[in-house]
Amino acid sequence: AVLTSVTDPWFDARLKSPWLGEQTSSQICSMAGGGCYQSFQGGWLVRSSVGAFAVRSGVVAVWSARGRESGVMGYPTSAASIDSATDYTQTFEGGTVTVAGGTVVFTPRPRAN
């Protein structure tokens, strides 16, 4: 089989995220629900049933402090949307992360009553 960005979401996420730099670990598939991650110089690639997405190091730190995929944030559900050279947002199952001026803020998704 030929590895392409169409056939392999992991490969596609890596191609779209050159800022990750060099890998610093092998892919590890021990996350909840069969998810996988791989660490790089600039962050992680994370794969779940939703897809494969790159997560920058500052967001990985906040995500880890909140229990990663098993915590309030859950898995990432989108790639980061770049608002400027340093500011961006990224959605997770449990809400949205906003990075502005180097500050990382997680805003939980409102819960249905």
Side-chain angles (χ1 to χ4, degrees):
V2 176
L3 184 66
T4 70
S5 61
V6 174
T7 60
D8 187 337
W10 190 270
F11 184 65
D12 184 56
R14 180 69 178 107
L15 285 177
K16 291 178 180 174
S17 308
W19 50 264
L20 281 169
E22 296 297 319
Q23 66 185 27
T24 58
S25 78
S26 298
Q27 187 177 143
I28 300 167
C29 295
S30 61
M31 299 178 88
C36 301
Y37 73 95
Q38 184 174 10
S39 61
F40 291 80
Q41 293 170 322
W44 285 13
L45 274 181
V46 179
R47 183 179 65 213
S48 70
S49 61
V50 176
F53 303 103
V55 181
R56 293 179 186 259
S57 294
V59 176
V60 169
V62 170
W63 186 46
S64 294
R66 287 174 169 75
R68 289 192 349 201
E69 76 280 5
S70 298
V72 65
M73 291 174 71
Y75 277 109
T77 58
S78 75
S81 74
I82 306 300
D83 302 322
S84 72
T86 58
D87 300 347
Y88 57 94
T89 59
Q90 185 164 13
T91 59
F92 285 73
E93 292 171 317
T96 302
V97 172
T98 303
V99 178
T103 301
V104 182
V105 176
F106 173 66
T107 305
R109 179 170 284 120
R111 300 224 180 234
N113 292 333

